[in-house]
């Protein structure tokens, strides 16, 4: 399957766990094979990622329901840290980005992972997630703003 790596990467980011990601991707691929005869589109990648997404959310609902109820809230998910310049100087930029991604809700994390790590178009992300394209674009904008954010300018905010 040409899109298996992307499916695994997506599942791991949504579930925040490699082992759970492997299990969910296996289940999603089995579903994809089972229903392949019903596939009527021209974007097999988006179709598979949609199955992976749905399988992830079913798994989260069974195993970590609280995580699904937490939506992205800038006040709640703000994680202060050193400035990007300091992080680059200390070779910690990657770790900061990982922490920011991990702090996002599953719904926000799926959008940024699909766009930035999997290279999906806005249209594909809307198709995969079932969200309007405007929602996709505004969520990406807020997340990108956080990724470029300099914590020193927001010292009044505290991590909840």
């Amino acid at each position: 399957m040409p899109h298996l790596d992307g499916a695994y990467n997506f599942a791991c980011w949504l579930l925040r766990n490699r082992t759970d990601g492997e299990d969910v991707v296996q289940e999603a691929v089995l579903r994809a094979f089972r229903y392949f005869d019903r596939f009527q589109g021209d974007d097999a990648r988006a179709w598979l990622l949609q199955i992976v997404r749905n399988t992830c959310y079913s798994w989260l609902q069974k195993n970590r329901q609280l995580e699904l109820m937490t939506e992205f809230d800038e006040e709640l998910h703000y994680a202060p840290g050193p400035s990007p310049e300091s992080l680059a100087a200390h070779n910690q930029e990657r770790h900061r980005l990982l922490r920011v991604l991990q702090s996002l809700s599953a719904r926000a994390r799926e959008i940024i992972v699909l766009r930035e790590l999997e290279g999906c178009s806005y249209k594909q992300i809307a198709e995969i997630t079932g969200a309007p394209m405007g929602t996709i674009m505004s969520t990406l904008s807020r997340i990108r703003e956080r990724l470029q954010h300099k914590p020193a300018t927001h010292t009044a905010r505290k991590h909840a």
Side-chain angles (χ1 to χ4, degrees):
M1 295 218 23
H3 308 299
L4 198 54
D5 288 341
Y8 173 70
N9 186 44
F10 185 42
C12 288
W13 276 108
L14 281 179
L15 301 175
R16 297 180 185 169
N17 182 293
R18 291 188 175 279
T19 304
D20 296 337
E22 288 173 1
D23 292 344
V24 166
V25 168
Q26 279 185 334
E27 184 177 337
V29 168
L30 288 173
R31 287 181 186 181
F33 280 129
R34 190 176 320 136
Y35 297 106
F36 188 73
D37 60 330
R38 296 182 190 168
F39 174 62
Q40 295 184 1
D42 58 351
D43 193 346
R45 180 175 183 232
W47 180 72
L48 176 62
L49 291 175
Q50 184 177 31
I51 294 170
V52 170
R53 176 191 182 267
N54 293 342
T55 307
C56 284
Y57 282 115
S58 294
W59 187 92
L60 283 169
Q61 190 169 19
K62 289 180 198 170
N63 298 287
R64 291 190 231 149
Q65 192 166 14
L66 180 62
E67 189 171 329
L68 282 177
M69 296 185 320
T70 305
E71 288 299 323
F72 179 72
D73 178 341
E74 213 167 304
E75 292 293 325
L76 177 64
H77 293 105
Y78 176 72
S83 70
E85 295 82 11
S86 174
L87 288 171
H90 295 99
N91 197 21
Q92 296 177 348
E93 182 67 12
R94 181 170 159 34
H95 296 292
R96 184 184 76 86
L97 293 174
L98 289 173
R99 282 193 310 271
V100 170
L101 285 172
Q102 290 292 346
S103 74
L104 298 172
S105 70
R107 304 229 187 258
R109 200 169 52 250
E110 77 178 346
I111 292 171
I112 193 75
V113 168
L114 286 170
R115 179 67 180 162
E116 301 300 334
L117 300 180
E118 294 304 320
C120 293
S121 68
Y122 295 131
K123 181 180 177 185
Q124 288 174 319
I125 297 169
E127 184 180 316
I128 292 165
T129 64
M133 204 170 327
T135 300
I136 302 299
M137 292 165 56
S138 65
T139 300
L140 281 168
S141 176
R142 284 193 309 272
I143 294 168
R144 287 176 178 147
E145 189 175 302
R146 272 191 68 197
L147 291 173
Q148 295 174 355
H149 179 56
K150 293 184 180 184
T153 62
H154 291 281
T155 54
R157 292 183 178 172
K158 298 291 181 195
H159 185 287

